[in-house]
Amino acid sequence: MLTVYFDSREEQACWHVRLQNSRPIIQQAVYLAENDGQTSISFRLEPNREQAICLAVIEFLFSFFSSYHLEKRIREIIQNRYFYQDEDEVEHIAEMALLMWEGEVVYHGANDLPEKLRERVSHLFREIVSEQVPFSFQSLWNFRMRAIQDDFVSLVGIAIDEYKLEQDYQEFIFLLRGLLEVRRPLLEEVHLVYDDEFFFYNQHLQLISKRNLANAIDRKLMAENPMFIDSNTIAPLVSMAPRKIFIYAEDEEIRIIRTLKKIFEERIIIAHPSCFAERMKEAGERR
């Protein structure tokens, strides 16, 4: 028999909600639920005979740890190890760390840390089910997970680095929007065709050479506003400040296009490359 003790009524309530929505094989394994001051729930398990039930319980324990306990532990790390106290910042960083833990996102520097952590935690629950050792999640974190707590600290550190980069990125976007507000448009419209890189065309659909693009960059503007600007795309666009920017691309979710949409907002018009080909054809016929 495997017994799980709860440390709070909140934890117990969350557990029972998840239990009610769990697979039938989990609910059928429940043997005893008490409410006598030290609340617990037990599973009748025979590891050598009930392999399917054991695997289901392991999965359930892992899921409950991930969805309930891990967020609390991560928030504690953010506040106590990295000293973030602002609730919005703590929530944002915790969300980023949990997404990394779940394998939903991959941040620079994480490598295979989240995958290894998930495997070590899963292995721990396999051991507990095999040994049928009574436990609480709090004691599990304090003792049997002590050896991997530093890895969780590293996981949170990576999320914080990514959070800082995101903050810098937002400041970068805000600054460029401010620059655009005071810039006089040098062109009414410009057309950008994306094919691994951007090719610029003026309002007459004539190709703008890379040399002319480089010459269009306002060096004084860039010098007065030092920042990491893509000199091939963002710098000339900010310098020219066109009223309309037509972008022709098969995938508008490419990072640079997402960035351009955030900077230039309503000035951006996205279309398929075939639309540009049609425009070129019409322009050729008029000539």
Side-chain angles (χ1 to χ4, degrees):
M1 186 182 301
L2 175 66
T3 302
V4 182
Y5 292 98
F6 302 116
D7 294 299
S8 69
R9 292 189 179 278
E10 178 191 351
E11 180 187 19
Q12 178 193 7
C14 184
W15 173 280
H16 283 292
V17 168
R18 292 189 63 83
L19 186 63
Q20 290 170 3
N21 294 287
S22 65
R23 296 160 54 191
I25 193 172
I26 295 291
Q27 298 179 22
Q28 293 164 10
V30 174
Y31 173 70
L32 178 64
E34 299 176 350
N35 190 3
D36 59 358
Q38 188 175 26
T39 309
S40 66
I41 190 166
S42 299
F43 297 94
R44 184 188 293 278
L45 301 173
E46 298 181 37
N48 295 329
R49 297 177 56 188
E50 303 290 349
Q51 185 69 14
I53 295 177
C54 290
L55 290 174
V57 171
I58 291 167
E59 180 183 328
F60 185 79
L61 294 174
F62 181 91
S63 176
F64 185 70
F65 169 77
S66 298
S67 61
Y68 180 78
H69 282 277
L70 185 58
E71 180 178 357
K72 292 178 179 294
R73 303 289 82 83
I74 283 176
R75 292 175 72 92
E76 288 174 0
I77 292 170
I78 295 168
Q79 293 172 320
N80 300 332
R81 297 291 292 270
Y82 290 99
F83 309 110
Y84 282 84
Q85 301 301 324
D86 181 83
E87 182 57 31
D88 288 339
E89 288 189 312
V90 171
E91 183 174 350
H92 197 149
I93 294 167
E95 181 181 353
M96 296 173 74
L98 287 168
L99 286 172
M100 190 165 32
W101 157 263
E102 293 165 1
E104 295 293 326
V105 297
V106 178
Y107 295 140
H108 177 72
N111 299 321
D112 57 355
L113 177 61
E115 182 181 353
K116 285 184 175 179
L117 265 176
R118 290 195 302 270
E119 176 53 36
R120 292 184 71 177
V121 172
S122 180
H123 178 74
L124 180 57
F125 284 121
R126 289 197 296 270
E127 286 183 342
I128 288 172
V129 169
S130 176
E131 298 167 5
Q132 299 197 35
V133 179
F135 76 98
S136 73
F137 283 92
Q138 183 64 53
S139 63
L140 189 70
W141 175 262
N142 289 341
F143 299 103
R144 298 189 68 162
M145 285 190 176
R146 183 181 295 275
I148 60 174
Q149 285 184 18
D150 285 345
D151 288 333
F152 281 108
V153 173
S154 297
L155 186 81
V156 171
I158 294 167
I160 287 173
D161 288 342
E162 192 67 23
Y163 172 74
K164 290 177 179 177
L165 286 174
E166 185 178 289
Q167 294 299 104
D168 291 343
Y169 176 73
Q170 294 302 330
E171 290 179 9
F172 165 76
I173 297 296
F174 182 77
L175 176 59
L176 291 184
R177 285 177 184 168
L179 294 177
L180 281 171
E181 289 179 1
V182 298
R183 294 288 294 174
R184 181 176 62 84
L186 300 183
L187 290 175
E188 280 300 309
E189 65 183 57
V190 66
H191 299 258
L192 276 65
V193 179
Y194 185 78
D195 185 11
D196 292 331
E197 62 176 311
F198 280 114
F199 295 89
F200 282 64
Y201 294 80
N202 61 22
Q203 60 265 43
H204 305 297
L205 303 184
Q206 298 168 328
L207 181 66
I208 303 174
S209 69
K210 292 187 182 296
R211 174 178 293 181
N212 286 338
L213 278 179
N215 291 336
I217 296 175
D218 187 331
R219 305 296 172 184
K220 183 174 181 292
L221 177 70
M222 297 300 112
E224 291 176 350
N225 299 276
M227 64 193 83
F228 296 106
I229 293 185
D230 170 20
S231 61
N232 294 320
T233 307
I234 296 177
L237 281 175
V238 171
S239 298
M240 293 187 292
R243 297 186 191 278
K244 289 184 180 181
I245 303 171
F246 294 87
I247 297 179
Y248 305 90
E250 294 186 0
D251 181 8
E252 63 180 90
E253 292 306 310
I254 297 168
R255 183 174 177 82
I256 181 63
I257 295 179
R258 294 204 310 268
T259 297
L260 291 176
K261 288 164 68 176
K262 289 179 180 178
I263 296 170
F264 295 94
E265 300 179 297
E266 72 279 355
R267 303 186 192 207
I268 295 283
I269 300 171
I270 307 290
H272 192 270
S274 60
C275 296
F276 182 75
E278 191 65 30
R279 284 191 176 216
M280 288 289 283
K281 180 180 178 181
E282 292 173 359
E285 290 173 352
R286 287 198 297 270
R287 292 168 189 158

